[in-house]
Amino acid sequence: MTDEGREAFAGRLYELMAEQVRDDGRPWSIPALARALTERGHPISRQHLHGVANQKHAPTWDLVRALAELFGTTTDSFTGRRADADDELPVLLNRAGELDENGRAEVADFIRFLHQKRGRAGPGE
């Protein structure tokens, strides 16, 4: 990864940390982020994550994916590529799976509505 790539990645990471809060309402910190990633199956030390955030280490692709999933965004937001709907759909569907039963039902109803609107039958119709 180039120095520009590391800089863009670090900038986006800090931007997301500032925009979003943890489940407990507190702001993100590097140690909290390292704990959250480790709990989600991507073990990383706070020291290494600090090095990545401060451009001393290049992020691995697995780390980029884990951060994108944690923050509910696409990997493209870290790489600078513009995401289109096809790229973003897997992230959105994953986030829909985290909704409660009513939320998931609303998403399913909306997808069925779009299919009907376009004259296509959806599953179970």
Side-chain angles (χ1 to χ4, degrees):
M1 178 177 275
T2 66
D3 288 344
E4 287 176 0
R6 287 182 187 188
E7 184 178 347
F9 173 86
R12 180 64 176 145
L13 176 59
Y14 280 117
E15 184 179 281
L16 287 166
M17 289 172 64
E19 288 174 357
Q20 297 189 26
V21 294
R22 300 178 347 206
D23 289 342
D24 62 8
R26 294 173 32 197
W28 282 105
S29 65
I30 294 296
L33 195 53
R35 275 190 307 276
L37 290 169
T38 298
E39 289 169 1
R40 288 171 158 252
H42 186 85
I44 188 167
S45 70
R46 64 180 173 81
Q47 294 88 352
H48 185 74
L49 186 57
H50 187 270
V52 171
N54 288 303
Q55 305 170 44
K56 294 186 187 328
H57 309 295
T60 64
W61 184 243
D62 285 340
L63 176 59
V64 174
R65 281 196 316 242
L67 287 166
E69 183 179 305
L70 178 71
F71 285 116
T73 188
T74 64
T75 55
D76 289 341
S77 73
F78 287 100
T79 63
R81 288 186 353 198
R82 186 182 170 278
D84 61 18
D86 288 339
D87 290 335
E88 193 175 23
L89 188 58
V91 172
L92 294 173
L93 289 174
N94 186 42
R95 291 182 76 189
E98 296 171 0
L99 296 171
D100 64 14
E101 186 177 344
N102 289 334
R104 290 190 307 272
E106 288 178 19
V107 170
D109 287 345
F110 185 70
I111 291 170
R112 281 191 285 277
F113 164 76
L114 290 175
H115 276 273
Q116 289 172 352
K117 181 177 170 184
R118 289 173 176 81
R120 298 183 221 151
E125 295 175 17

